[in-house]
Amino acid sequence: MPIFSEMTHKYLRAKKKFPNVWCSGCGIGTVMGAIIRAIDHLHLSRDEVVMISGIGCSSRMPVYVDFNTLHTTHGRPLAFATGVKLAKPNLKVIIVTGDGDALAIGGNHFIHACRRNIDLTTILINNSTYGMTGGQVAPTTPFMKIGTTAPYGNRERGFDISKLAMAAGAPFVARGTVYHVVQLQKLVEQAILKKGFSLVEVISQCHTLYGRLNKEGGPVEMMKWQRDHAIPISAAGKVPAEKLKDKFFTGVLWDIDFPEYCEEYDKVIALAQSLAEGEGVRVKGKERE
Amino acid sequence: MADQINKIEPDGNPEIGEEKVHVFEAWCKKCGICVAFCPTGALTSDANGLPLLTYPEKCTQCGMCELRCPDFAIAVRPREKKEPKIVTTGESQ
């Protein structure tokens, strides 16, 4: 086993104000380590990876990593990523986003990116609250949980992100947790290799706001909760239904093949050019890289 | 010891020491995740919450503390490879 830190430090912008900005014990740093190890394990160079984020706690991640990075407007990382991928289809585009960023402010971009099936890898870090702005109720806050805007309990149901992505048409959907960090790295690797839109939902902990308001303890207690409530998808048929209450499945939940948008767009260009040449019309068509 | 822990290399990265488990004191936020989830209980916290390798003989160098650390503040030495045993069959060519 190699020393991970020596390898990880190669990918960090070390002069960018370490230690990082996140609270002590926040899971986002662990996810960042898993993404870096996955990229290193796939032998991708730093120049062929683009990391794009929106606004939020998790979206601070591109500040620290030495890839091509883009820190965009609130809720719009998938829109920017679609543009990057269409202009440079040979780049590996990784989007790091939070639950509020992707599902509330950027909800429409999210479902349409799933539907369009362009080759993007989305790492959605779900901490069930708006962490950066002070613990307000997010679209993923579960029923009857406390937020600063719901002091008597949240009366709405939370989104099931993975089911939403499946229904919207994403061909690869996986779920991991911060506790199961080795599995998380493998899921990120599979998502990067998948041709098409791939989503990895990561259950993370916000002990500073969500954990404190709901009396769920510190980072260690919340990670123990993840350990006790995660069920591998391979055990889905074997666990009795009464034991599945409040539990969630982890692993690759959905993996199908569907034509990818960049390849289809190349076919559109080829078809249009061949038709134009057949009609004797000169078309200024530029070959894409 | 303390000055060695906080040593930063010219490229801005912390220096990795020679011990089995090395903690970069300047980057550590003392969250306690590494201590709580150490599979063998080799790590303990000091009075300030900083992780210490109190029982080095228990440490199997599995690296789980390093993988879970959100702040890249802990490094584990890889296990030294054992010399492969030379099996002699008695036949020589």
Side-chain angles (χ1 to χ4, degrees):
Chain A
M1 188 181 285
I3 274 210
F4 294 115
S5 295
E6 269 182 0
M7 179 271 288
T8 310
H9 290 162
K10 283 193 302 188
Y11 293 91
L12 296 181
R13 290 174 180 154
K15 289 172 184 171
K16 288 271 180 183
K17 293 180 184 172
F18 267 89
N20 54 36
V21 73
W22 300 304
C23 303
S24 164
C26 178
I28 297 168
T30 314
V31 180
M32 179 164 133
I35 295 172
I36 288 173
R37 285 191 297 276
I39 287 169
D40 185 80
H41 193 239
L42 294 174
H43 303 294
L44 296 173
S45 84
R46 280 179 283 188
D47 291 333
E48 59 182 321
V49 175
V50 190
M51 189 180 270
I52 301 178
S53 74
I55 298 295
C57 287
S58 55
S59 302
R60 297 282 300 178
M61 197 186 288
V63 176
Y64 299 109
V65 288
D66 198 10
F67 306 126
N68 305 295
T69 56
L70 196 55
H71 194 169
T72 69
T73 49
H74 203 358
R76 273 75 188 163
L78 284 161
F80 282 84
T82 305
V84 170
K85 186 71 187 176
L86 274 174
K88 298 270 182 192
N90 55 333
L91 294 177
K92 295 278 181 193
V93 183
I94 298 172
I95 297 106
V96 179
T97 179
D99 49 329
D101 191 47
L103 296 173
I105 299 96
N108 252 320
H109 292 296
F110 180 74
I111 54 173
H112 288 288
C114 291
R115 182 180 64 84
R116 189 174 290 125
N117 191 25
I118 188 162
D119 187 14
L120 306 173
T121 305
T122 306
I123 316 292
L124 202 160
I125 301 174
N126 178 6
N127 60 4
S128 307
T129 190
Y130 286 107
M132 186 176 263
T133 50
Q136 289 88 351
V137 165
T140 45
T141 309
F143 185 64
M144 285 310 286
K145 292 289 182 185
I146 311 286
T148 48
T149 50
Y152 305 106
N154 174 32
R155 305 293 164 138
E156 302 165 5
R157 284 166 296 170
F159 261 135
D160 187 329
I161 298 171
S162 298
K163 279 184 185 166
L164 175 71
M166 284 181 218
F172 182 93
V173 179
R175 189 191 278 135
T177 74
V178 169
Y179 176 81
H180 302 92
V181 65
V182 180
Q183 184 203 30
L184 180 61
Q185 180 195 336
K186 288 175 184 164
L187 293 176
V188 174
E189 278 175 31
Q190 280 175 273
I192 291 172
L193 289 175
K194 177 76 183 177
K195 197 80 180 163
F197 186 85
S198 43
L199 173 81
V200 182
E201 179 194 356
V202 188
I203 308 289
S204 179
Q205 69 271 16
C206 179
H207 56 283
T208 310
L209 290 158
Y210 183 82
R212 180 169 57 81
L213 292 168
N214 290 291
K215 299 189 171 49
E216 292 190 5
V220 173
E221 289 76 16
M222 292 187 82
M223 281 175 80
K224 283 180 181 165
W225 181 91
Q226 293 168 13
R227 179 190 64 191
D228 299 337
H229 288 73
I231 297 175
I233 189 71
S234 53
K238 300 165 195 165
V239 183
E242 65 267 18
K243 284 192 178 176
L244 288 177
K245 193 173 180 294
D246 297 335
K247 305 281 173 73
F248 54 87
F249 289 116
T250 57
V252 179
L253 308 177
W254 187 248
D255 191 358
I256 57 167
D257 285 316
F258 198 77
E260 198 265 326
Y261 186 80
C262 287
E263 289 175 354
E264 293 301 308
Y265 197 75
D266 284 341
K267 288 179 193 169
V268 169
I269 293 173
L271 181 66
Q273 285 179 349
S274 66
L275 286 176
E277 281 165 16
E279 290 168 7
V281 183
R282 271 183 70 87
V283 176
K284 195 182 175 190
K286 194 184 168 193
E287 279 297 312
R288 298 199 302 148
E289 284 173 48
Chain B
M1 190 70 185
D3 56 310
Q4 192 193 359
I5 286 170
N6 288 318
K7 199 168 174 184
I8 303 286
E9 287 183 357
D11 58 358
N13 287 327
E15 191 182 74
I16 293 167
E18 291 298 317
E19 316 93 299
K20 261 184 172 179
V21 174
H22 184 86
V23 179
F24 316 131
E25 204 178 302
W27 287 18
C28 178
K29 292 185 196 149
K30 305 169 183 69
C31 61
I33 288 174
C34 52
V35 178
F37 294 112
C38 177
T40 58
L43 290 168
T44 56
S45 310
D46 72 356
N48 295 321
L50 199 74
L52 285 174
L53 187 63
T54 316
Y55 308 106
E57 70 283 357
K58 279 189 185 177
C59 178
T60 60
Q61 288 155 289
C62 67
M64 287 315 290
C65 50
E66 189 175 4
L67 295 178
R68 290 216 176 91
C69 178
D71 298 297
F72 309 101
I74 193 161
V76 180
R77 276 272 129 207
R79 292 183 192 126
E80 283 177 18
K81 282 182 183 166
K82 287 178 183 171
E83 289 287 316
K85 284 181 184 173
I86 300 163
V87 182
T88 50
T89 55
E91 293 174 19
S92 59
Q93 292 188 354

